[in-house]
Amino acid sequence: MIYFDNSSTTKPLQEVAESFQTVSEQYYGNTSSAHQFGLDAEKLLRKSSQQAGQLLGVGEDEIIFTSGGTEGNNLAIKGVALAYQNRGKHVITTAIEHPSVLESVRSLEALGFEVTVLPVGESGVLDVDAVSDALREDTILVSVMHVNNELGTIQPIKAIGQLLKNRAHTFFHVDMVQSFGKIDLSLNDCSVDLATISGHKIHGIKGTGLLFARKGIRLFPLFHGGGQQNDRRSGTENLGGIVSLVKAMRVMTEQKMHHPDHFRNLNHLMRIELESMDHVIINTMNDQADHILNFSIPHFKPEVVLHALEKRNIFVSTKSACASKKEEESPVLKAIGLPRNRTTSSIRVSFSYQNTEGEVELFTRALKKVIQELNKVMG
Amino acid sequence: MLYDHLLIRYGELALKDKNRKKFINQLHENVRHQLKDFPDAKVKSNRDRMMIELNGVAPSPIIERCQYIFGIQTFSLAIKSDSEEMAIKRAALFALNEADSVQTFKVTTKRANKSFPIGSQDFNYIIGSHLLKNTENIKVDVHQPDLEIHIDIRNDATYVTSERYQGMGGLPVGSSGKTLLLLSGGIDSPVAGYLAMRRGIKIEAIHFHSPPYTSEGAKQKVYDLAKQLSKYGHAIKIHVVPFTAMQQKIHRDIPFGYSMTVMRRMMLKISEIIAEKQDIKSITTGESLGQVASQTMESMHAINAITNYPIIRPLVTMDKSEIISIAKTIDTYPISIRPYDDCCTVFVPNAPKTKPKKEKVEFFEGELDLEQELNDLLDNIETVSLSPFDSDENEMDSLF
């Protein structure tokens, strides 16, 4: 089996699953309990925050463990907006964000917020001047993703951070779900105030994730209750999930350090092959994230290609998985101005550290065959 | 090329001529102890400095560890080179290139090996010119350079060093004897322990535990504090004293305003007994003048009178803000503020005497027979040893 759909989700690493199991079996105390069992759990929770903070270069008290990317994005956006609405009611984001950002932002409109959704140009990369132009006196939040999930474009986080650095009343949120462990981003150097990470995109377990929120930032909680995690996210902590998340983060960080060229090599190899194929047009530009490669085969319905590959035990994605059951244009490809025959026929390949060059070769060989066969049927 | 050595310059101990050898041996032992999980790194010391041979160990964890060792003034990474001009030039250029954001530099040569054919001044010039030729936008400044490159030509070899890291100063732990630290779990006592250690004192700790009034959490807090402190020296022994029965009796039988004073005196008395048993010659507390009722001048006088042991109070004249700032630097603060009561806060009367009379205290105490409680608690002291390399810790750490 060749699994090239790692931006949808990844297979949990064995050691990550083992950590989850050990913690679930041996440290099941409630972190709020006063007895030894609870104290051990609390200690483990604290260690998790410390380790996660260390990996991100931030403080342990700046980590909020969540159920994943969607919660992290919701908490960042609604949490800031509701806590600081007396300062201003204007929020800026981009047209190519994940639905959990776009829909969160839209939900604020009902509460009287004004939202600016910035378009991205043909490059798929946000123009920093556009952010600068959109900023207003009452802008309290700018939310921009680091790496786009569908296309793999890298957004100019550092430049936006510079722009916002001296605006004490505007917070900067970055959705890092697709980039953590693959593309470096220093939260400090880029002046990021909030950042979302999801566990299951980095070989962790589903239902895990974290939000980084810089010290001093108030968040109106999504969940009220027992006041866990410094009153920012009530609910008994999912300690097994939390420990396994931090383990996955560590493994990803190490993989990145030891194999800095892994994705570049896979990407180059696949690009060369795809470029030589008839009917295939690559949508992801050069110099973007190497672990995501998006291309269109305008002649064929992408689902047909997907299933033909699936028969050969190869798994890819059409559009982004969350929305892929609807037969529609890809909003992201549409946003960068591609013609309809490309926005409705895109296929996304996304790599993990487990993928090999051999798999890329097998894939391209299989894709060629699929196109030939489909050509016979339809041609 | 790589940095292959770490040069350690001694702190104040260089001044203490008679004890010098003892200090150096202690520091040597402490450095070896800190680096024991890096068996390849070898420590060598002589009269005026210490050298760690890295033997392939990455320098950054070693640098980090050295920042926990008292008795080190400064330290630097060093390159060992042949005492030969070309080799020294290469090493000096490497050191300059490795340093961050340098605009000006200076070369200082020390020539202990007088058979080296070139004089120090001339050699400074030769190396300086070589560096200027091989770099861009970097100048010489002999008065206030960003970086000073030291070339130490010795009989065995030449050592080239540049950036200096600030050490902790102080005296090597163990060189000034041992003390028994009253460790409560609050902010002050760990800072007092740290400062005592900085002065070369090895510590054991005593903790008064009053279950069920104080929780396991309070005890764990103290263990974690001791563990944090042990990073600056050796494993720390904690004597946990079951204090409940005695505290209850004091609370019941001593007039209200005086119970706290008597309780404190009993703590000192018990500490003295344990200190004597452990061959420890002093007691250390985190008292700071005026902070609470037990820490007024009158209280200290009345409480202190029960023991003849010297009581070291490193914080006695410090402001709370200074203490907190030290607690934050040594990472005990986040542990101390965990919300568990210690035994001192459990039975606190509403209005403890801020000016207790020693004679009155002694009178009330004389009326009270605590013999039984004292013997019981001495029989039931639990002693644990804590170090940063604990096994239950490893078990948890392996999960990440």
Side-chain angles (χ1 to χ4, degrees):
Chain A
M1 163 171 137
I2 299 177
Y3 186 73
F4 277 169
D5 195 14
N6 291 285
S7 286
S8 298
T9 194
T10 54
K11 182 180 176 184
L13 291 168
Q14 194 189 338
E15 60 260 47
V16 168
E18 279 167 8
S19 277
F20 180 82
Q21 189 175 359
T22 310
V23 176
S24 304
E25 286 173 359
Q26 291 175 22
Y27 295 93
Y28 55 83
N30 188 321
T31 55
S32 304
S33 297
H35 48 66
Q36 191 57 48
F37 233 23
L39 291 173
D40 284 347
E42 192 205 357
K43 190 166 167 187
L44 200 48
L45 177 65
R46 205 160 42 234
K47 274 179 179 285
S48 305
S49 308
Q50 279 166 0
Q51 296 252 5
Q54 244 169 40
L55 288 167
L56 294 172
V58 302
E60 58 178 291
D61 48 354
E62 298 180 313
I63 304 290
I64 306 165
F65 292 107
T66 64
S67 64
T70 293
E71 185 188 331
N73 286 337
N74 270 268
L75 178 57
I77 291 166
K78 295 177 189 170
V80 163
L82 296 180
Y84 292 95
Q85 53 184 324
N86 54 344
R87 279 191 190 168
K89 286 191 154 190
H90 180 235
V91 174
I92 299 173
T93 189
T94 81
I96 57 166
E97 297 299 313
H98 187 265
S100 59
V101 167
L102 283 171
E103 294 306 320
S104 289
V105 167
R106 281 182 193 135
S107 77
L108 294 173
E109 284 178 328
L111 301 173
F113 282 80
E114 281 181 72
V115 173
T116 303
V117 179
L118 295 171
V120 292
E122 283 174 20
S123 64
V125 178
L126 184 63
D127 180 2
V128 182
D129 290 341
V131 181
S132 176
D133 293 343
L135 282 171
R136 310 193 321 208
E137 193 61 19
D138 61 344
T139 308
I140 55 170
L141 181 68
V142 175
S143 178
V144 178
M145 69 191 344
H146 184 204
V147 167
N148 179 262
N149 49 319
E150 219 171 309
L151 204 48
T153 46
I154 304 174
Q155 302 304 322
I157 300 304
K158 189 159 191 178
I160 300 170
Q162 287 293 327
L163 179 69
L164 300 176
K165 197 172 161 184
N166 297 320
R167 291 177 60 105
H169 294 314
T170 310
F171 294 116
F172 183 26
H173 168 243
V174 177
D175 175 354
M176 284 175 67
V177 168
Q178 292 294 347
S179 67
F180 179 80
K182 290 160 190 150
I183 294 171
D184 279 334
L185 179 79
S186 161
L187 297 172
N188 295 322
D189 293 350
C190 299
S191 305
V192 174
D193 297 310
L194 304 117
T196 307
I197 289 173
S198 162
H200 78 96
K201 307 281 194 199
I202 57 169
H203 304 281
I205 287 164
K206 286 162 192 70
T208 65
L210 68 78
L211 176 69
F212 154 75
R214 197 169 290 287
K215 206 171 178 161
I217 293 182
R218 281 181 289 126
L219 292 173
F220 186 87
L222 298 179
F223 306 154
H224 291 88
Q228 285 89 345
Q229 304 206 53
N230 294 323
D231 280 332
R232 292 176 299 192
R233 191 205 192 252
S234 285
T236 300
E237 295 88 348
N238 167 14
L239 195 55
I242 288 170
V243 172
S244 66
L245 166 74
V246 178
K247 178 142 195 169
M249 286 172 70
R250 181 180 66 74
V251 174
M252 281 301 270
T253 308
E254 282 173 8
Q255 297 265 31
K256 168 146 201 340
M257 202 162 65
H258 294 137
H259 309 285
D261 298 325
H262 176 81
F263 294 118
R264 171 139 306 164
N265 294 340
L266 297 184
N267 187 297
H268 278 200
L269 196 62
M270 188 171 285
R271 258 176 202 278
I272 291 167
E273 289 293 331
L274 291 179
E275 276 165 3
S276 72
M277 276 185 222
D278 291 337
H279 310 297
V280 174
I281 310 170
I282 300 178
N283 296 323
T284 303
M285 302 75 180
N286 271 312
D287 298 325
Q288 298 300 329
D290 287 314
H291 61 284
I292 296 177
L293 193 52
N294 187 305
F295 56 90
S296 293
I297 312 177
H299 281 65
F300 311 122
K301 278 191 171 180
E303 291 75 17
V304 176
V305 178
L306 179 141
H307 292 307
L309 286 169
E310 186 182 356
K311 267 192 199 152
R312 292 173 160 76
N313 233 356
I314 297 174
F315 300 89
V316 297
S317 163
T318 60
K319 290 189 266 173
S320 74
C322 312
S324 61
K325 279 176 191 150
K326 300 177 224 159
E327 219 241 51
E328 269 170 32
E329 283 188 285
S330 148
V332 173
L333 298 188
K334 199 178 168 187
I336 64 167
L338 294 185
R340 196 179 158 82
N341 66 349
R342 276 168 75 184
T343 59
T344 54
S345 63
S346 72
I347 287 173
R348 180 189 67 184
V349 162
S350 45
F351 300 123
S352 79
Y353 284 104
Q354 273 82 46
N355 293 132
T356 62
E357 294 188 5
E359 289 180 333
V360 171
E361 276 168 31
L362 288 172
F363 167 83
T364 49
R365 227 180 288 163
L367 184 64
K368 270 183 212 163
K369 282 238 174 75
V370 166
I371 293 175
Q372 273 173 11
E373 283 168 17
L374 289 176
N375 257 330
K376 268 186 223 157
V377 179
M378 307 179 93
Chain B
M1 190 173 279
L2 277 174
Y3 280 117
D4 46 20
H5 284 69
L6 195 132
L7 171 89
I8 290 175
R9 299 175 196 85
Y10 302 145
E12 205 179 324
L13 61 92
L15 301 170
K16 312 221 158 188
D17 210 35
K18 270 196 177 163
N19 289 325
R20 188 183 180 110
K21 201 166 174 192
K22 188 179 137 203
F23 290 143
I24 292 170
N25 288 343
Q26 186 69 54
L27 183 62
H28 186 101
E29 194 191 312
N30 294 358
V31 171
R32 288 228 330 232
H33 173 77
Q34 279 283 351
L35 302 183
K36 71 175 175 202
D37 42 345
F38 300 97
D40 289 340
K42 297 273 181 286
V43 186
K44 288 181 177 163
S45 46
N46 63 29
R47 267 187 71 78
D48 47 31
R49 61 186 194 167
M50 192 175 286
M51 200 56 102
I52 302 175
E53 278 178 22
L54 295 176
N55 295 320
V57 177
S60 52
I62 308 281
I63 291 174
E64 202 192 313
R65 294 287 173 86
C66 284
Q67 271 149 351
Y68 281 96
I69 304 172
F70 296 118
I72 294 178
Q73 196 64 32
T74 60
F75 58 99
S76 302
L77 288 168
I79 306 153
K80 186 178 184 180
S81 138
D82 289 339
S83 294
E84 184 267 316
E85 190 180 319
M86 274 315 293
I88 298 174
K89 277 180 174 169
R90 272 199 301 273
L93 184 60
F94 170 81
L96 182 60
N97 285 333
E98 281 290 290
D100 284 334
S101 58
V102 172
Q103 273 162 2
T104 57
F105 73 93
K106 162 189 182 177
V107 179
T108 309
T109 305
K110 219 167 99 188
R111 198 171 53 120
N113 174 4
K114 296 297 175 196
S115 71
F116 190 74
I118 307 167
S120 301
Q121 287 304 321
D122 293 343
F123 201 61
N124 289 345
Y125 181 78
I126 291 171
I127 298 295
S129 323
H130 178 76
L131 296 179
L132 287 172
K133 257 181 260 164
N134 288 285
T135 51
E136 274 170 32
N137 302 324
I138 295 186
K139 295 197 196 98
V140 171
D141 179 347
V142 291
H143 301 294
Q144 285 195 313
D146 296 337
L147 187 74
E148 198 171 340
I149 296 176
H150 289 266
I151 297 172
D152 194 1
I153 305 171
R154 303 202 147 222
N155 289 327
D156 62 326
T158 293
Y159 295 92
V160 177
T161 61
S162 57
E163 280 172 288
R164 278 182 187 226
Y165 297 89
Q166 203 57 44
M168 297 289 295
L171 300 175
V173 173
S175 62
S176 312
K178 221 178 194 186
T179 196
L180 186 66
L181 171 72
L182 272 72
L183 195 56
S184 67
I187 294 167
D188 300 342
S189 49
V191 175
Y194 165 81
L195 292 174
M197 290 169 86
R198 200 175 71 175
R199 210 52 205 159
I201 308 174
K202 201 168 171 176
I203 58 177
E204 284 189 20
I206 180 167
H207 176 68
F208 295 89
H209 188 43
S210 301
Y213 303 104
T214 60
S215 65
E216 282 298 303
K219 200 157 92 179
Q220 184 60 46
K221 201 167 135 179
V222 171
Y223 288 171
D224 288 351
L225 286 170
K227 198 175 279 181
Q228 181 61 25
L229 283 179
S230 71
K231 289 185 184 166
Y232 294 94
H234 297 78
I236 292 178
K237 252 189 214 161
I238 295 197
H239 308 279
V240 180
V241 178
F243 202 42
T244 316
M246 184 175 279
Q247 231 181 336
Q248 280 169 331
K249 191 156 185 185
I250 295 171
H251 184 66
R252 200 182 61 214
D253 294 348
I254 296 283
F256 220 46
Y258 278 90
S259 59
M260 185 271 301
T261 313
V262 173
M263 182 187 86
R264 293 279 172 176
R265 281 166 60 91
M266 287 304 125
M267 286 172 145
L268 276 188
K269 188 172 175 178
I270 296 162
S271 299
E272 189 188 286
I273 295 169
I274 291 173
E276 203 180 346
K277 220 185 268 174
Q278 299 292 115
D279 195 25
I280 294 172
K281 305 287 184 231
S282 70
I283 292 168
T284 298
T285 73
E287 286 165 295
S288 168
L289 200 52
Q291 256 202 32
V292 290
S294 65
Q295 297 175 19
T296 62
M297 194 66 86
E298 289 78 4
S299 276
M300 278 194 203
H301 178 76
I303 294 168
N304 207 147
I306 198 160
T307 177
N308 284 323
Y309 269 57
I311 298 184
I312 300 171
R313 298 184 174 89
L315 313 183
V316 75
T317 61
M318 277 191 193
D319 287 355
K320 191 77 185 179
S321 58
E322 294 173 72
I323 300 169
I324 288 177
S325 134
I326 298 176
K328 283 182 176 167
T329 7
I330 63 172
D331 287 331
T332 54
Y333 185 77
I335 306 173
S336 291
I337 59 171
R338 283 185 217 154
Y340 304 104
D341 281 340
D342 61 51
C343 68
C344 305
T345 50
V346 172
F347 289 106
V348 157
N350 286 331
K353 282 265 186 281
T354 54
K355 294 186 175 181
K357 300 253 176 340
K358 192 182 107 189
E359 295 68 27
K360 269 194 170 173
V361 178
E362 283 168 353
F363 170 76
F364 291 136
E365 229 174 74
E367 297 285 287
L368 189 65
D369 179 15
L370 289 170
E371 197 61 33
Q372 182 60 41
E373 284 76 11
L374 185 63
N375 289 335
D376 279 356
L377 69 80
L378 288 175
D379 285 343
N380 288 296
I381 285 173
E382 194 185 313
T383 299
V384 284
S385 179
L386 290 153
S387 77
F389 321 102
D390 267 0
S391 58
D392 70 310
E393 202 75 354
N394 290 340
E395 197 182 298
M396 269 194 192
D397 286 343
S398 70
L399 293 166
F400 296 102

